[in-house]
Amino acid sequence: MARPIFATINLGALKHNLAVARGHAPRSKAFAVVKANAYGHGLARAARALREAEGYALLELEDAVALRDAGCRQRILLLEGFFEPGELPLLAAHHLGAVVHNRDQLRILRHLPAGAALDVFLKINTGMNRLGFTAAEFPDALRALQSNPGVAQVTLMTHFANADELRGVQWQMEVFDRLANGVKLPRSLANSAAIFRYAETHADWVRPGIMLYGCSPFADRIGTEIGLVPAMTLESRIIAVQRLKRGDTLGYGGLFTAERDLRVGVVACGYADGYPRHARNGTPIMVEGTMTRTLGRISMDMLCADLTDVPGAQVGSRVVLWGEGVPVERVAEAAGTIGYELLCGLAPRVPVRERE
Ligand SMILES: *Cc1c(COP(=O)(O)O)cnc(C)c1O
């Protein structure tokens, strides 16, 4: 028997979550964001489940080429564009669209052959201050692209810094609207949070990422509270049971001391599987369908669960680390991070199964 840990990817959940995005932005086309191996869910399977999307967005060139080679006909957008001139022939040959966000890329584009027909997403920095042309640089950048015979379609794009928070998008929308006003080009602005909260950002193309995987983009709501279904469930089993006496400590560093006699289940899952090492004592975990808590430090291959409320638990009992029944958002919160990081951090050593 193999080590009992595995992740299940629910393909129906991916489809459902895309439909939720469409429900919120019914007049927009969607780039399903599948960067980082589809947020850890597996690029090929996620793309298959999300094939109703009009496009895919990611930033790994090899993955984009693999999608095309696998027969994908949809638009494919490279979210950081290209990094050197040598990549341009590959982009043209596979019809990959590119975000263009800086002047070096504009310079490289001058070498684009006239018939290349590259689709460009011109990224405007409206306040995120990571990628994109400033308001002052924008007119020149737009002119350079529109006069480039190798460029086919230009789409205006920006990215929001606070769509999931109180500060919102209005302050960035003002900058975007002022620049885009009167420019008759398609637009793409919204990530998951903006899809839920700000209809005025939906425009021609939305870019849902985290919501497709069933995880909430908001700190104060979990995915199931906003109509999403978790796509990844990480589960394992108990491989040993220990009886601690009052005063006994558990695991590395003795982080947990038993205040009374209790039973502890040792679970085959650790940080080398992608479970967060910083998950504190008391992180939610499910054993045999009952919610309980982790105890002690997370180690490389194991973690421990309190079996006080699960008297029937024994070696072989099923444990859910996150996913159906255990919101990944809650585990992330207990580890001082966000669901995004846990999902895309699923370790390669964890076998993956799929279900419809
Ligand atoms: C990752 C990413 C998205 C998706 O963001 P979510 O918060 O996961 O919906 C959208 N746009 C860009 C440019 C991105 O890099």
Side-chain angles (χ1 to χ4, degrees):
M1 255 258 308
R3 191 165 171 259
I5 189 170
F6 65 94
T8 305
I9 307 300
N10 178 346
L11 304 178
L14 292 167
K15 288 191 189 105
H16 168 86
N17 296 331
L18 176 60
V20 171
R22 291 209 183 284
H24 284 277
R27 281 176 293 281
S28 308
K29 288 175 280 186
F31 276 113
V33 179
V34 292
K35 61 190 175 189
N37 193 30
Y39 291 51
H41 294 65
L43 176 68
R45 79 167 60 84
R48 199 171 0 104
L50 298 168
R51 62 178 167 259
E52 303 279 304
E54 289 82 1
Y56 300 104
L58 71 175
L59 35 86
E60 301 87 351
L61 178 57
E62 284 171 21
D63 285 348
V65 169
L67 271 180
R68 209 38 109 215
D69 287 346
C72 161
R73 301 274 191 84
Q74 287 96 324
R75 300 274 290 264
I76 299 179
L77 175 61
L78 294 169
L79 288 168
E80 292 178 353
F82 46 86
F83 302 88
E84 43 181 314
E87 294 171 346
L88 287 180
L90 210 55
L91 266 58
H94 292 83
H95 190 49
L96 307 175
V99 167
V100 168
H101 61 83
N102 69 22
R103 293 184 202 190
D104 292 288
Q105 290 176 319
L106 283 181
R107 213 167 297 130
I108 290 174
L109 275 184
R110 286 200 233 125
H111 303 288
L112 200 60
L118 185 72
D119 286 328
V120 169
F121 282 65
L122 174 55
K123 190 155 187 179
I124 306 171
N125 174 10
T126 54
M128 175 74 130
N129 290 321
R130 232 173 30 173
L131 302 184
F133 294 92
T134 62
E137 295 168 327
F138 170 73
D140 280 348
L142 180 60
R143 221 170 294 129
L145 291 173
Q146 290 188 312
S147 63
N148 187 324
V151 172
Q153 175 82 69
V154 178
T155 300
L156 303 183
M157 173 178 170
T158 196
H159 193 53
F160 296 120
N162 308 90
D164 57 327
E165 298 168 329
L166 211 58
R167 194 180 181 197
V169 299
Q170 195 48 46
W171 63 284
Q172 287 186 261
M173 284 299 281
E174 280 165 19
V175 179
F176 185 86
D177 286 341
R178 184 159 45 78
L179 295 177
N181 208 347
V183 181
K184 288 222 168 354
L185 292 176
R187 301 169 183 201
S188 176
L189 300 88
N191 57 3
S192 297
I195 290 169
F196 277 105
R197 264 192 197 159
Y198 302 104
E200 69 271 29
T201 66
H202 293 168
D204 299 275
W205 288 91
V206 291
R207 305 190 303 270
I210 194 71
M211 67 175 298
L212 298 177
Y213 307 101
C215 178
S216 169
F218 306 112
D220 60 346
R221 300 271 187 83
I222 62 170
T224 48
E225 291 170 343
I226 53 176
L228 305 174
V229 176
M232 179 195 294
T233 297
L234 178 63
E235 66 180 271
S236 188
R237 291 185 187 276
I238 289 177
I239 59 170
V241 173
Q242 301 297 338
R243 288 172 187 280
L244 302 194
K245 294 256 176 280
R246 196 163 79 91
D248 283 350
T249 59
L250 180 65
Y252 288 118
L255 196 67
F256 173 77
T257 305
E259 287 164 7
R260 49 183 167 72
D261 295 2
L262 89 168
R263 280 195 340 136
V264 169
V266 180
V267 182
C269 176
Y271 61 78
D273 299 299
Y275 196 90
R277 200 184 80 92
H278 292 105
R280 58 173 163 69
N281 236 333
T283 299
I285 186 168
M286 196 164 76
V287 178
E288 290 291 11
T290 300
M291 287 306 295
T292 176
R293 55 178 187 148
T294 64
L295 294 177
R297 195 158 272 163
I298 309 301
S299 45
M300 183 182 282
D301 311 306
M302 281 171 261
L303 57 80
C304 295
D306 184 353
L307 299 183
T308 305
D309 296 330
V310 207
Q314 53 190 323
V315 170
S317 288
R318 177 172 184 249
V319 176
V320 176
L321 286 312
W322 67 62
E324 280 175 40
V326 186
V328 70
E329 294 95 328
R330 297 266 183 263
V331 178
E333 190 180 17
T337 184
I338 53 178
Y340 293 70
E341 189 181 10
L342 302 195
L343 296 177
C344 65
L346 182 74
R349 82 174 188 185
V350 177
V352 177
R353 305 177 184 175
E354 348 177 315
R355 71 178 166 88
E356 289 301 321

